[in-house]
Amino acid sequence: QVQLVESGGGLVQAGGSLRLSCAASRSIFSFSVMGWYRQAPGKQRELVATITNIGRTNYKDSAQGRFTISTSSTKKTVYLQMNNLKLEDTAVYYCNARTIQPPPTDYWGQGTQVTVSS
Protein backbone atom coordinates (compact mmCIF):
# COMPACT_ATOMS: atom_id res chain seq x y z
CA GLN A 1 0.00 0.00 0.00
CA VAL A 2 1.03 3.62 -0.44
CA GLN A 3 2.92 5.19 2.43
CA LEU A 4 3.68 8.90 2.70
CA VAL A 5 5.94 10.23 5.42
CA GLU A 6 6.43 13.95 5.92
CA SER A 7 9.37 15.56 7.65
CA GLY A 8 11.09 18.91 7.91
CA GLY A 9 8.57 20.89 9.87
CA GLY A 10 9.53 22.97 12.84
CA LEU A 11 9.68 26.40 14.37
CA VAL A 12 11.06 29.25 12.30
CA GLN A 13 11.02 33.01 12.54
CA ALA A 14 9.12 35.08 10.02
CA GLY A 15 11.26 35.60 6.96
CA GLY A 16 13.05 32.32 7.46
CA SER A 17 12.99 29.13 5.44
CA LEU A 18 12.11 25.48 5.80
CA ARG A 19 12.20 22.53 3.44
CA LEU A 20 9.54 19.89 3.85
CA SER A 21 10.05 16.38 2.54
CA CYS A 22 7.51 13.73 1.64
CA ALA A 23 8.98 10.27 1.24
CA ALA A 24 6.70 8.00 -0.75
CA SER A 25 6.76 4.22 -1.00
CA ARG A 26 6.33 4.53 -4.77
CA SER A 27 7.57 7.03 -7.31
CA ILE A 28 5.53 9.90 -8.61
CA PHE A 29 5.01 7.92 -11.81
CA SER A 30 2.57 5.77 -9.84
CA PHE A 31 0.52 8.89 -9.28
CA SER A 32 -1.11 11.53 -11.41
CA VAL A 33 -0.17 14.27 -9.00
CA MET A 34 1.47 14.80 -5.65
CA GLY A 35 1.32 17.85 -3.52
CA TRP A 36 1.28 19.68 -0.27
CA TYR A 37 -1.76 20.88 1.60
CA ARG A 38 -2.01 22.62 4.93
CA GLN A 39 -4.53 23.08 7.67
CA ALA A 40 -4.44 25.71 10.38
CA PRO A 41 -6.50 25.31 13.57
CA GLY A 42 -10.16 25.97 12.87
CA LYS A 43 -9.49 26.38 9.16
CA GLN A 44 -10.25 24.29 6.10
CA ARG A 45 -7.46 22.26 4.57
CA GLU A 46 -6.09 24.13 1.57
CA LEU A 47 -3.83 23.46 -1.36
CA VAL A 48 -0.33 24.86 -1.14
CA ALA A 49 1.42 23.35 -4.15
CA THR A 50 1.11 20.38 -6.48
CA ILE A 51 3.30 18.71 -9.05
CA THR A 52 2.16 16.27 -11.72
CA ASN A 53 4.03 13.21 -12.91
CA ILE A 54 5.27 15.23 -15.88
CA GLY A 55 6.49 18.09 -13.75
CA ARG A 56 3.72 20.64 -14.07
CA THR A 57 3.36 22.71 -10.94
CA ASN A 58 0.58 24.68 -9.35
CA TYR A 59 0.70 26.99 -6.35
CA LYS A 60 -1.63 28.72 -4.01
CA ASP A 61 -1.48 32.41 -4.93
CA SER A 62 0.06 33.44 -1.62
CA ALA A 63 2.75 30.79 -1.97
CA GLN A 64 3.79 31.59 -5.51
CA GLY A 65 7.20 33.22 -5.56
CA ARG A 66 8.00 32.04 -2.05
CA PHE A 67 7.46 28.28 -2.22
CA THR A 68 8.85 25.75 -4.66
CA ILE A 69 7.69 22.17 -5.08
CA SER A 70 10.07 19.66 -6.60
CA THR A 71 10.95 15.97 -6.70
CA SER A 72 14.10 14.04 -5.92
CA SER A 73 16.14 12.32 -8.60
CA THR A 74 14.53 9.00 -7.65
CA LYS A 75 11.08 10.59 -7.96
CA LYS A 76 10.10 9.06 -4.64
CA THR A 77 10.42 12.20 -2.56
CA VAL A 78 8.57 15.45 -2.99
CA TYR A 79 9.97 18.61 -1.48
CA LEU A 80 8.43 21.90 -0.58
CA GLN A 81 11.00 24.64 -0.21
CA MET A 82 9.43 27.45 1.75
CA ASN A 83 11.17 30.82 1.80
CA ASN A 84 10.21 34.13 3.34
CA LEU A 85 7.81 32.42 5.69
CA LYS A 86 4.99 34.45 7.15
CA LEU A 87 2.91 34.05 10.29
CA GLU A 88 -0.06 32.94 8.21
CA ASP A 89 1.95 29.99 6.92
CA THR A 90 1.64 28.36 10.33
CA ALA A 91 -0.25 25.09 9.88
CA VAL A 92 0.06 21.35 9.75
CA TYR A 93 1.36 20.46 6.31
CA TYR A 94 0.19 17.25 4.67
CA CYS A 95 1.61 15.35 1.73
CA ASN A 96 -0.89 14.05 -0.81
CA ALA A 97 -0.66 11.57 -3.64
CA ARG A 98 -3.35 10.57 -6.10
CA THR A 99 -3.03 7.20 -7.79
CA ILE A 100 -3.61 6.57 -11.49
CA GLN A 101 -4.43 2.85 -11.32
CA PRO A 102 -6.63 1.28 -10.05
CA PRO A 103 -9.38 3.95 -9.89
CA PRO A 104 -7.86 7.21 -8.58
CA THR A 105 -7.35 7.19 -4.83
CA ASP A 106 -5.98 9.90 -2.57
CA TYR A 107 -3.39 9.08 0.05
CA TRP A 108 -2.28 11.36 2.85
CA GLY A 109 0.66 11.54 5.17
CA GLN A 110 0.39 12.09 8.89
CA GLY A 111 1.38 15.74 8.64
CA THR A 112 4.23 17.88 9.88
CA GLN A 113 3.82 21.02 11.95
CA VAL A 114 5.17 24.31 10.68
CA THR A 115 5.13 27.17 13.15
CA VAL A 116 6.23 30.65 12.11
CA SER A 117 6.97 33.05 14.91
CA SER A 118 7.31 36.82 14.98
Side-chain angles (χ1 to χ4, degrees):
Q1 57 182 311
V2 175
Q3 299 280 349
L4 303 173
V5 181
E6 303 101 330
S7 62
L11 175 65
V12 64
Q13 291 187 343
S17 299
L18 284 174
R19 189 178 76 162
L20 306 183
S21 296
C22 173
S25 57
R26 303 170 74 169
S27 81
I28 195 170
F29 300 115
S30 296
F31 313 112
S32 60
V33 62
M34 296 184 69
W36 289 94
Y37 294 73
R38 68 187 182 190
Q39 187 168 20
K43 304 295 183 181
Q44 187 175 357
R45 186 172 296 187
E46 64 179 2
L47 180 148
V48 178
T50 59
I51 185 166
T52 72
N53 58 15
I54 58 171
R56 293 179 180 175
T57 58
N58 184 48
Y59 297 92
K60 173 182 172 64
D61 287 345
S62 64
Q64 197 158 29
R66 298 189 298 124
F67 294 3
T68 302
I69 189 168
S70 62
T71 57
S72 67
S73 59
T74 65
K75 307 301 181 186
K76 294 183 69 175
T77 301
V78 177
Y79 302 107
L80 183 68
Q81 178 67 45
M82 304 187 292
N83 298 325
N84 191 25
L85 284 160
K86 302 177 179 180
L87 294 178
E88 55 264 38
D89 294 319
T90 295
V92 177
Y93 284 70
Y94 297 92
C95 183
N96 168 265
R98 177 169 291 178
T99 61
I100 299 172
Q101 300 287 356
T105 301
D106 282 320
Y107 290 87
W108 297 90
Q110 189 66 36
T112 185
Q113 177 72 47
V114 171
T115 302
V116 183
S117 68
S118 60

